[in-house]
DNA sequence: CTGAAAGCGCTTACAG
DNA sequence: CTGAAAGCGCTTACAG
């Protein structure tokens, strides 16, 4: 109503109205010192009456913290990132921070990125080069890594899932229950650690069942529907024989199933197909996808919790590995 | 290397190094006044040498802008929001802003939310009550609405898609091509405008084909797999006859198909099912989903563009309605 | 074309 | 328990 409404109230106006000094306002606002109960009461009333809330920039400037946590990633859509982002958002909110999102799909990250914009950074695998990461480390900027182990000289905490054992379960299942022996593995994007560990699990499962590793059965699926579909197509064209596909992740599995159908092979009769992640749509494709459940949301939330510990100078785990769990549906041949 | 590395350089240090005043640094930084070429050159060198970047909070405080755009929504995952978020992120980045995300899944939004934290706000349908919205409007806080028309007394710009004509196309297709006459419509969440307009389109298509509207064929699917599945189950239990379902959106369609299969009805032979949005997984479910493509990412990006125009005091469309397009696959009975 | 000074809105020693 | 003062790191009239 009053024309002043447009300019938000400042701490000085609150102080005047309450008949105290700005320092006192600040103290009740932040609970940073004992204030006489009645004074505090008056202050609170004044704050309410003026609808006062402290200007974040002013606070940031003097306290040298932004109360924001940044997350750096490459993609926002796709099946994998939304749950991760959701977990991060939840964690950030729980800890009383705000969430600033940087997606690198459009630009190369500036090296100085985030320096005073956020109090700490959550960095997803592959969204920052080692040199930049090292620079952060030298400046002791708080960071936690997602689905990526840090370079040896900047031992930031990281969180990821049990890729290897998950992959092992998957592959062993196809061998033991469905008697598959020629199992294709589709690698993810180059240098992707998840893919590396999944391949490790794949190989160990083979070995445990005395099946020789055959490099002809390895191809690149890029954790991507289209790329994975193409890979299968090529394998087929090359006349490579196989009776199962571990697609690398669920997105790739979808592409694999489509390509196989297209080529007249039936899933799972002719070939078993399995994914990884148990993304929401996996139960709805046809046949319903056998996969490994990765607690993606939990990964995001945990990362924030580690970061917040760092920010508070509390002791903080150097790494956390979240468990995965086999999810049997029908694309492997079950039921 | 030097111990000063830890405290980022300030504009004063740059000024000293360049042998000029802070004002001049500021001017070359912001291009806000003419500076002698050689001076400018020296300043740039000093900036580089110290790795200086201006402290956002200081800048914000004095300029009274944050260079951030906020987005308020309820959900981050699900099939619909990620593409929208991706479009928003892209738009924000293109305009040179940062993106602050508020998800309301965890908390009730404070009324003062965002007041000095962001320069403007993108608000998704249903994530803010009218009273709060009105308060923003009174303070002339820049906002654009997504998938929601503003209340009459706060005419904020909004962007959404052509729900009605999309729904009409879908329903007409089932009537004309597949000779369906008893078509169920599953409403979205209560008061959801998208749902309202889709129902409108549904009714008009019926009318255009001289099919009487039957309220028994309307149920609530909540744009949600589970709720939609339950709704269909109930219809079946109640002995309601139908030969087609317009599920409201793609998520709901997935639940509908699952429920139908569960009940022994085949899709599309016994009943045609169609969705809305053409979310990424829609082509991969079985049968592949006939739906309407909504340019979700474009909606997000457009919203940002409108908001940025507001921020720059440029003339700005009061509304934009993005076109939808029929996507025929097999769940309707085609092919 | 450039500098000195004031000020943005807070918080935090320092006194009392 | 409370206030006066300095300062966080910038930008922007105002002079020159």
């Amino acid at each position: 109503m009053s024309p002043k409404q447009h300019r938000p109230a400042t701490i000085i106006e609150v102080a005047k109205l309450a008949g105290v000094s700005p320092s006192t306002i600040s103290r009740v606002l932040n609970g940073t010192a004992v204030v006489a109960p009645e004074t505090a009461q008056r202050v609170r009333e004044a704050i309410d009456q003026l609808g006062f809330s402290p200007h974040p920039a002013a606070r940031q400037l003097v306290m040298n913290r932004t109360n924001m946590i940044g997350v750096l990633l490459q993609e926002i859509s796709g099946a994998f990132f939304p749950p991760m982002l959701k977990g991060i958002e939840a964690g950030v909110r729980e800890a009383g921070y705000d969430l600033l999102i940087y997606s690198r799909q459009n630009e190369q990250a500036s090296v100085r990125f985030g320096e005073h914009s956020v109090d700490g950074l959550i960095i997803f695998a592959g969204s920052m080069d080692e040199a930049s990461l090292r620079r952060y480390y030298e400046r002791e900027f708080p960071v936690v890594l997602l689905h990526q182990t840090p370079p040896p000289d900047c031992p930031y905490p990281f969180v990821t899932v049990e890729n290897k054992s998950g992959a092992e379960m998957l592959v062993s299942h196809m061998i033991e229950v469905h008697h598959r022996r020629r199992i294709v593995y589709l690698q993810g994007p180059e240098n992707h650690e998840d893919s590396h560990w999944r391949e490790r699990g794949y190989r160990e499962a083979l070995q445990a069942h005395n099946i020789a590793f055959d490099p002809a059965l390895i191809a690149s699926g890029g954790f991507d529907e289209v790329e994975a579909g193409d890979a299968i197509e090529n394998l087929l064209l090359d006349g490579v024989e196989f009776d199962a596909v571990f697609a690398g992740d669920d997105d790739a599995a979808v592409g694999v199933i489509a390509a196989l159908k297209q080529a007249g092979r039936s899933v799972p009769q002719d070939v078993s197909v399995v994914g990884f992640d148990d993304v929401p749509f996996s139960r709805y494709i046809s046949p319903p996808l056998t996969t490994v459940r990765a607690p993606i949301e939990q990964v995001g939330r945990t990362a924030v919790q580690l970061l917040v510990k760092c920010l508070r100078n509390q002791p903080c785990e150097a790494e956390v590995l979240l468990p995965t769990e086999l999810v049997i549906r029908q694309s492997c041949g079950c039921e």
Side-chain angles (χ1 to χ4, degrees), chain A:
Chain A
M1 292 293 117
S2 88
K4 274 182 199 150
Q5 278 282 16
H6 276 189
R7 294 255 130 262
T10 156
I11 202 173
I12 299 204
E13 310 179 43
V14 180
K16 272 183 192 140
L17 182 59
V20 296
S21 76
S23 323
T24 301
I25 308 294
S26 174
R27 288 194 266 255
V28 347
L29 226 39
N30 301 299
T32 182
V34 193
V35 174
E38 329 159 354
T39 316
Q41 185 52 31
R42 251 183 310 139
V43 168
R44 269 188 291 271
E45 285 168 14
I47 288 174
D48 278 1
Q49 192 173 330
L50 297 178
F52 170 75
S53 80
H55 195 305
R59 200 173 222 171
Q60 282 165 34
L61 187 58
V62 64
M63 299 179 73
N64 203 25
R65 45 170 282 177
T66 64
N67 213 42
M68 293 198 283
I69 285 174
V71 53
L72 182 63
L73 30 74
Q74 327 231 38
E75 264 292 337
I76 285 186
S77 43
F80 180 83
F81 289 94
M84 166 144 295
L85 212 47
K86 183 175 180 175
I88 291 176
E89 209 284 337
V92 164
R93 206 60 58 191
E94 283 161 14
Y97 286 82
D98 281 333
L99 210 216
L100 200 56
I101 292 199
Y102 300 84
S103 162
R104 295 220 17 212
Q105 51 198 346
N106 310 303
E107 46 152 8
Q108 32 281 59
S110 129
V111 187
R112 288 172 209 149
F113 151 88
E115 284 223 297
H116 348 245
S117 301
V118 297
D119 296 340
L121 214 41
I122 292 179
I123 299 180
F124 188 79
S127 24
M128 181 174 289
D129 59 283
E130 282 200 18
S132 305
L133 197 60
R134 206 166 288 125
R135 197 141 18 192
Y136 280 117
Y137 191 79
E138 281 164 7
R139 305 191 182 200
E140 301 182 31
F141 191 79
V143 164
V144 0
L145 264 17
L146 242 34
H147 285 254
Q148 185 184 29
T149 51
D153 53 345
C154 36
Y156 276 127
F158 67 96
V159 10
T160 186
V161 301
E162 286 185 333
N163 282 301
K164 199 184 75 168
S165 64
E168 250 182 291
M169 293 189 278
L170 229 28
V171 175
S172 295
H173 174 82
M174 293 198 288
I175 298 172
E176 293 168 8
V177 179
H178 303 293
H179 311 295
R180 306 299 179 172
R181 310 213 94 221
R182 300 213 27 96
I183 305 174
V184 169
Y185 174 65
L186 256 31
Q187 297 169 322
E190 222 163 332
N191 295 325
H192 198 298
E193 276 187 35
D194 285 343
S195 176
H196 171 78
W197 289 108
R198 287 172 201 175
E199 182 168 343
R200 246 332 231 269
Y202 161 85
R203 289 186 190 225
E204 292 189 9
L206 254 34
Q207 192 166 23
H209 294 85
N210 291 311
I211 300 177
F213 170 76
D214 180 354
L217 261 21
I218 303 291
S220 182
F223 289 174
D224 175 80
E225 289 151 2
V226 176
E227 200 175 333
D230 291 350
I232 291 299
E233 223 173 273
N234 288 333
L235 251 27
L236 255 18
L237 285 177
D238 293 351
V240 176
E241 302 276 331
F242 57 90
D243 52 18
V245 178
F246 171 24
D249 82 346
D250 289 357
D251 281 304
V254 163
V256 168
I257 292 174
L260 252 13
K261 283 183 182 169
Q262 183 71 24
R265 311 281 174 119
S266 71
V267 178
Q269 293 76 11
D270 296 340
V271 9
S272 298
V273 176
V274 298
F276 201 107
D277 286 341
D278 195 27
V279 127
F281 66 69
S282 298
R283 74 184 63 225
Y284 292 112
I285 62 174
S286 171
L289 194 64
T290 291
T291 187
V292 153
R293 172 141 44 230
I296 310 181
E297 227 178 290
Q298 189 57 34
V299 169
R301 182 187 239 105
T302 303
V304 177
Q305 290 164 347
L306 295 200
L307 186 57
V308 168
K309 284 183 191 170
C310 296
L311 295 178
R312 295 182 180 148
N313 293 314
Q314 292 169 3
C316 164
E317 300 85 324
E319 65 175 88
V320 6
L321 213 61
L322 263 11
T324 49
E325 174 197 357
L326 192 57
V327 177
I328 307 259
R329 285 194 278 253
Q330 297 162 30
S331 65
C332 57
C334 277
E335 222 205 24

